[in-house]
Amino acid sequence: MASTGKAAAEADYLEFAAARSSALFRIACLLTGDWHLAEDLVQETLGKVYVSWRRVSAADSPSAYADAILVRTFLSYRRKRSSSETPTGALPDRGYAADDPGLRLTLLDGLARLPERDRAVLILRYWEDRSVDEAAEVLRMSPGTVRVRSLRALRRLRRLLGDQLPQLAEC
């Protein structure tokens, strides 16, 4: 009987991992700016989710739980100076479904130049369209801190992009 429960839990995990992998990869790419590092972060995140699957699957939002693990893994990785990998300067060419690919690439470049926590706040709040409370929970910050950091990060992004993105400066 226990093996049936274990098999069902494993099947649930595999279904979750298959459904959530692409969204985790998108977030990881935005956070790192490096395709290969993003793949590594997603794999590490999915490994951590698997180990904690009972707790994750019992959470109100397993997707948010996985996103939080991903962001924390990214922030932890950035603190480690022992990493022997060096990120590349640009993502490989790939197609985008955006209306303006130039705008998208300009934003990705600007995000890559922001400090990690600022980048994480902007990606969660505006790219992933998370509420202040959801972003605060993922980042382990107060909602007020998320609001202030969002405002300051947007200002930094506008300064970094300068006249490359004039319509953003008007927001």
Side-chain angles (χ1 to χ4, degrees):
M1 194 76 155
S3 63
T4 306
K6 185 176 180 181
E10 201 164 301
D12 286 346
Y13 166 78
L14 290 173
E15 182 180 330
F16 173 82
R20 195 71 191 133
S21 292
S22 61
L24 288 170
F25 180 71
R26 182 180 65 240
I27 295 169
C29 276
L30 291 168
L31 287 170
T32 65
D34 180 344
W35 183 282
H36 301 290
L37 179 56
E39 288 176 335
D40 292 345
L41 285 173
V42 170
Q43 289 302 314
E44 190 170 340
T45 298
L46 290 174
K48 289 177 180 181
V49 168
Y50 179 76
V51 169
S52 305
W53 182 243
R54 286 181 190 234
R55 184 175 45 237
V56 173
S57 63
D60 290 338
S61 175
S63 295
Y65 201 108
D67 293 349
I69 291 173
L70 175 72
V71 170
R72 290 178 191 139
T73 301
F74 164 72
L75 293 173
S76 174
Y77 168 81
R78 296 302 294 181
R79 282 191 295 266
K80 292 179 186 174
R81 297 296 177 210
S82 62
S83 175
S84 60
E85 295 183 28
T86 54
T88 61
L91 290 173
D93 289 339
R94 42 177 260 195
Y96 291 100
D99 293 334
D100 185 357
L103 172 65
R104 184 180 188 97
L105 292 174
T106 301
L107 284 171
L108 288 172
D109 179 57
L111 284 170
R113 293 189 286 166
L114 289 174
E116 291 82 21
R117 287 205 176 266
D118 288 349
R119 189 178 332 148
V121 167
L122 291 181
I123 289 168
L124 289 173
R125 285 283 295 126
Y126 302 108
W127 205 290
E128 289 295 312
D129 198 27
R130 298 290 177 91
S131 70
V132 170
D133 292 331
E134 289 172 334
E137 185 177 330
V138 167
L139 296 167
R140 293 185 178 165
M141 296 177 179
S142 70
T145 301
V146 169
R147 284 186 201 94
V148 169
R149 191 173 278 274
S150 296
L151 179 67
R152 290 179 181 162
L154 283 173
R155 285 183 186 152
R156 282 189 194 109
L157 183 61
R158 287 181 185 120
R159 270 196 310 272
L160 282 171
L161 297 177
D163 50 343
Q164 295 178 39
L165 202 59
Q167 66 273 26
L168 185 62
E170 297 169 8
C171 294

